[in-house]
């Protein structure tokens, strides 16, 4: 037996035979061409076909894995329609007299490198999407049909890399699990694996060609791969797989039930989302609303500042889709590890302590007002909350509310309909915790961002892998800060939620309820497991 380690991106257990998958190798030369016009036509025809392929993959994925996963391929189609990328390819063809294949490879690789050099892990993962759509165009140019890759028996797929397009083309009824040598937790391939409940291990550096055809076990809970496991291990993990099926079926029975303890204490369990594509997952997992809409991803996925109308459509869709449940929209929390190039933010030595969140909004008011106007317009279509990030003082909160009031007064004068809404802030720093008593007087709600609160309380950069052994998310100081915030909020009738990673930590659920928290906002797939724990508690 051989044991390999990696990083789990989709929990669960898989048991089956390994199939090694190798992506096609493109033989691209840099010879000069004679007819640039003809080569440009070849490229444009291939581009058009590749776009149609992405939309076909959208339809397939929509049926197999839902709207959240299918949206990946709509985004891919939009990337292929990007005139900047298209023009970069045509320029190489016409100016350098190179083939369409060479030009596509060069231009797309250059764009992928731009993403890979960004600090934000989510944006780094978008480089994989660029490589995926590059392969889609090259497949057409080379006449390669990847849909011909079919399995005839249940398989654990092993590959150096696996793109979303390659993943979705596989027969899901025969795909037991995925192991890759590279990849990232934020990649769309990882998102697809999670949405399809396929156990997946990435960054497994020990992959070997000798694994092909061997029996293996993926342990997605402990990030392990067992090649040629013993009979005892096979028996043990087979039982674990059956237990997982039974637990999943039990969780589905909790849909539509209250999140209430045995002694009658009810709490809201809401979902965190990054965009409109997450809505189906929110509904499927029966969340009580959205406790955190991370609007910065709208900015990160745009080539320029998103307009008021573009933002309004996104916010309206989410608010309308979830009505009458509440949707809390956090204003743009850009900066630190989340950088939009067009904002021209200067590099910083300590970005986590730098120009980010509300600090950017209050010093770039036109950009801030555009977003607030879009949010206010969306308030007419459902139950909405507006949340300001990184507030550390009453002065900042008053300034943010003043700008919000200016937008509201403009709409009143213009006769634009807006609805009722609540206003709250993120509690993410020790400063906010210590000022919570005063801040609560001016807020309808608090939402505790435990990721940053832990980082700033413990003085540990959560992006620094070297500090992981020192990062204690259950540190007494962090838990005490959470308790102090809840108490301060309740003294002024301000309800308090938790929207960071600790919200889905089942070992702390009872602790948070005993502290008096009013809401837990978690990733959509954690809603039902948290509800199960809550319904098993008796706080009396």
């Amino acid at each position: 037996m051989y044991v390999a380690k990696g990083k789990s991106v989709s929990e669960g257990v898989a048991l089956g035979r390994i199939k090694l998958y190798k992506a096609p190798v493109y033989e691209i030369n840099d010879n000069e061409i004679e007819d640039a016009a003809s080569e440009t036509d070849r490229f444009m025809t291939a581009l058009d076909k590749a776009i149609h392929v992405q939309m076909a993959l959208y339809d397939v994925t929509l049926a197999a894995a839902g709207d959240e996963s299918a949206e990946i391929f709509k985004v891919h189609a939009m990337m292929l329609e990007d005139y900047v990328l298209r023009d970069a390819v045509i320029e190489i063809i016409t100016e350098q007299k190179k083939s369409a294949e060479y030009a596509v490879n060069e231009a797309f690789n250059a764009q992928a490198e731009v993403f890979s050099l960004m600090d934000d892990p989510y944006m780094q993962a978008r480089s994989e999407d660029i490589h995926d759509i590059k392969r889609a165009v090259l497949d057409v140019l080379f006449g390669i049909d990847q849909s011909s890759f079919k399995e005839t028996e249940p398989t654990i797929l092993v590959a150096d890399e696996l793109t979303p397009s390659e993943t979705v083309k596989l027969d899901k009824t025969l795909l037991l699990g995925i192991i890759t040598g590279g990849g990232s937790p934020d990649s769309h391939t990882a998102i697809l694996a999670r949405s399809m409940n396929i156990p997946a291990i990435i960054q497994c550096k020990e992959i070997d060609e000798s694994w092909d055809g061997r029996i293996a076990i993926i342990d997605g809970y402990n990030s392990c791969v067992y090649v040629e496991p013993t009979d005892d291990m096979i028996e043990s993990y087979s039982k674990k797989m059956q237990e997982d099926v039974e637990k999943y079926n039990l969780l589905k029975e909790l849909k539509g039930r209250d999140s209430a303890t045995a002694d009658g204490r009810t709490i809201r369990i809401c979902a965190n989302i990054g965009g409109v594509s997450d809505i189906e997952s929110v509904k499927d997992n029966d969340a009580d609303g959205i406790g955190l809409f991370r609007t910065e991803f709208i900015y990160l996925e745009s080539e320029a500042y998103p307009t008021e109308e573009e933002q309004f459509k996104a916010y309206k869709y989410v608010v309308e889709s979830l009505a009458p449940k509440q949707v809390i929209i956090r204003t743009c929390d850009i900066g630190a590890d989340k950088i939009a190039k067009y904002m021209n933010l200067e590099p910083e030595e300590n970005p986590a302590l730098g120009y980010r969140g509300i600090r950017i909004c209050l010093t770039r008011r036109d950009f801030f007002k555009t977003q607030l106007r879009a949010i206010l317009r969306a308030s007419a279509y459902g139950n909405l909350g507006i949340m300001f990030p990184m507030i550390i003082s009453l002065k900042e909160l008053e300034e943010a509310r003043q700008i919000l009031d200016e937008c509201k007064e403009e709409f009143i004068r213009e006769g634009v309909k807006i609805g009722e809404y609540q206003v709250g802030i993120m509690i993410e720093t020790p400063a906010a915790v210590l000022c919570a008593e005063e801040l609560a007087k001016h807020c309808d709600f608090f939402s505790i961002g435990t990721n940053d609160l832990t980082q700033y309380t413990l003085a540990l950069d959560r992006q620094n892998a070297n500090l992981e052994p020192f990062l204690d998310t259950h540190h007494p100081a962090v838990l005490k800060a959470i308790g102090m915030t809840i108490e301060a909020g309740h003294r002024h009738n301000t309800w308090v939620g938790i929207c960071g990673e600790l919200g889905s930590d089942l070992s702390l659920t009872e602790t948070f309820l005993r502290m008096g928290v009013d809401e837990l906002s978690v990733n959509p797939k954690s809603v039902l497991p948290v509800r199960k724990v809550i319904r098993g508690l008796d706080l009396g």
Side-chain angles (χ1 to χ4, degrees):
M1 180 180 72
Y2 183 80
V3 183
K5 294 289 289 184
K7 187 179 185 68
S8 176
V9 293
S10 181
E11 290 186 339
V13 174
L15 168 62
R17 196 171 297 279
I18 286 174
K19 173 65 178 180
L20 229 59
Y21 170 70
K22 290 187 177 181
V25 177
Y26 308 106
E27 295 184 5
I28 299 172
N29 64 62
D30 61 353
N31 299 336
E32 286 195 6
I33 56 163
E34 294 182 1
D35 190 349
S38 175
E39 207 65 14
T40 299
D41 287 342
R42 281 187 66 230
F43 163 63
M44 292 302 294
T45 300
L47 187 67
D48 187 55
K49 287 183 179 179
I51 291 170
H52 280 89
V53 167
Q54 297 305 305
M55 293 313 298
L57 291 175
Y58 170 82
D59 292 335
V60 169
T61 312
L62 186 64
D67 185 69
E68 177 186 8
S69 298
E71 193 70 21
I72 295 167
F73 298 103
K74 270 192 179 177
V75 172
H76 281 190
M78 290 171 60
M79 286 178 170
L80 287 168
E81 291 170 345
D82 179 21
Y83 72 91
V84 175
L85 198 53
R86 180 199 64 202
D87 289 351
V89 174
I90 294 174
E91 183 178 346
I92 293 173
I93 294 173
T94 56
E95 299 295 326
Q96 300 182 32
K97 302 296 182 184
K98 299 295 185 182
S99 68
E101 290 86 351
Y102 178 91
V104 166
N105 196 52
E106 290 293 304
F108 281 63
N109 283 350
Q111 183 62 51
E113 186 177 7
V114 170
F115 281 107
S116 68
L117 294 175
M118 292 182 178
D119 293 330
D120 179 67
Y122 179 87
M123 297 308 291
Q124 287 175 359
R126 300 292 68 77
S127 66
E128 296 179 29
D129 294 302
I130 298 295
H131 285 302
D132 195 2
I133 60 174
K134 176 190 71 177
R135 293 186 188 110
V137 180
L138 290 176
D139 282 348
V140 178
L141 289 169
F142 280 99
I144 296 172
D145 181 11
Q146 286 197 23
S147 64
S148 62
F149 178 73
K150 297 291 183 183
E151 286 303 306
T152 57
E153 64 176 1
T155 295
I156 291 176
L157 195 71
V158 176
D160 290 332
E161 297 282 356
L162 203 60
T163 68
S165 297
E166 289 166 337
T167 305
V168 81
K169 287 174 184 174
L170 300 167
D171 186 342
K172 304 310 170 297
T173 64
L174 298 176
L175 184 59
L176 302 175
I178 296 172
I179 305 169
T180 64
S184 77
D186 297 298
S187 72
H188 279 142
T189 300
I191 294 169
L192 272 170
R194 287 192 288 268
S195 69
M196 295 185 291
N197 292 315
I198 298 171
I201 301 286
I202 64 171
Q203 299 172 16
C204 184
K205 305 303 181 185
E206 299 153 282
I207 289 174
D208 191 275
E209 289 190 5
S210 65
W211 292 10
D212 195 30
R214 296 189 178 189
I215 297 296
I217 293 172
I218 293 178
D219 182 346
Y221 298 104
N222 296 301
S223 300
C224 287
V225 178
Y226 300 97
V227 182
E228 297 288 11
T230 65
D231 290 341
D232 287 344
M233 289 191 71
I234 290 175
E235 182 180 355
S236 174
Y237 274 98
S238 294
K239 290 179 180 177
K240 175 62 177 169
M241 290 167 67
Q242 184 57 38
E243 290 172 2
D244 285 350
V245 170
E246 292 171 0
K247 285 180 181 179
Y248 179 71
N249 290 333
L250 284 172
L251 284 175
K252 288 197 295 186
E253 293 178 7
L254 292 176
K255 292 178 72 169
R257 303 283 188 90
D258 290 335
S259 302
T261 61
D263 56 312
R265 165 82 192 280
T266 300
I267 183 172
R268 291 191 307 279
I269 308 177
C270 295
N272 301 332
I273 68 168
V276 297
S277 61
D278 296 329
I279 291 301
E280 290 307 311
S281 184
V282 173
K283 292 179 179 178
D284 288 345
N285 290 282
D286 196 35
D288 295 322
I290 292 174
L292 172 61
F293 182 170
R294 299 183 178 96
T295 61
E296 56 272 17
F297 289 111
I298 293 176
Y299 291 81
L300 292 171
E301 292 171 358
S302 298
E303 295 293 327
Y305 285 102
T307 65
E308 178 183 324
E309 192 64 25
E310 288 170 339
Q311 294 187 66
F312 164 66
K313 287 179 180 177
Y315 305 148
K316 174 179 178 289
Y317 175 81
V318 173
V319 171
E320 206 168 32
S321 297
L322 271 295
K325 295 178 179 179
Q326 187 178 47
V327 172
I328 294 178
I329 299 177
R330 180 174 71 184
T331 58
C332 186
D333 189 18
I334 209 79
D337 60 336
K338 299 187 285 275
I339 302 296
K341 188 175 181 181
Y342 56 85
M343 286 190 175
N344 297 316
L345 300 176
E346 295 181 3
E348 298 178 289
E349 288 189 14
N350 293 304
L353 302 178
Y355 191 48
R356 59 172 296 192
I358 201 67
R359 298 164 186 174
I360 296 177
C361 295
L362 294 179
T363 52
R364 298 189 179 189
R365 295 198 173 199
D366 288 344
F367 136 74
F368 191 32
K369 285 189 70 172
T370 297
Q371 181 176 36
L372 291 178
R373 283 176 61 89
I375 295 172
L376 285 174
R377 286 171 61 191
S379 70
Y381 296 88
N383 184 356
L384 187 143
I386 302 171
M387 181 160 66
F388 302 121
M390 281 298 292
I391 295 289
I392 62 169
S393 69
L394 180 59
K395 178 177 179 292
E396 290 176 344
L397 174 57
E398 289 176 337
E399 284 186 39
R401 293 203 66 145
Q402 179 186 1
I403 298 170
L404 179 64
D405 289 342
E406 288 175 11
C407 294
K408 180 179 179 180
E409 289 166 7
E410 288 172 5
F411 282 137
I412 292 173
R413 290 195 300 271
E414 296 167 10
V416 176
K417 182 182 177 182
I418 59 175
E420 297 295 321
Y421 54 87
Q422 290 190 323
V423 177
I425 63 170
M426 294 278 288
I427 300 291
E428 303 170 88
T429 65
V433 173
L434 295 174
C435 295
E437 193 83 36
E438 190 66 23
L439 292 168
K441 298 174 184 177
H442 303 270
C443 290
D444 297 303
F445 66 90
F446 286 158
S447 189
I448 303 172
T450 57
N451 301 353
D452 271 333
L453 182 60
T454 302
Q455 170 176 244
Y456 295 129
T457 301
L458 302 184
L460 282 171
D461 179 1
R462 60 190 175 98
Q463 301 295 329
N464 188 335
N466 294 326
L467 297 178
E468 192 170 340
F470 304 97
L471 185 62
D472 179 8
T473 56
H474 292 202
H475 195 287
V478 175
L479 297 179
K480 186 173 182 179
I482 293 170
M484 290 170 61
T485 302
I486 294 170
E487 291 171 4
H490 287 178
R491 279 195 288 271
H492 298 280
N493 296 316
T494 299
W495 65 264
V496 184
I498 292 174
C499 66
E501 289 298 316
L502 288 188
S504 56
D505 186 335
L506 302 183
S507 69
L508 288 175
T509 304
E510 181 175 357
T511 299
F512 291 148
L513 264 67
R514 290 192 180 280
M515 286 180 178
V517 73
D518 303 290
E519 176 208 71
L520 294 173
S521 191
V522 298
N523 69 74
K525 291 197 174 180
S526 293
V527 169
L528 294 177
V530 173
R531 181 174 295 166
K532 183 178 186 298
V533 171
I534 289 173
R535 290 176 64 85
L537 294 176
D538 188 335
L539 305 178

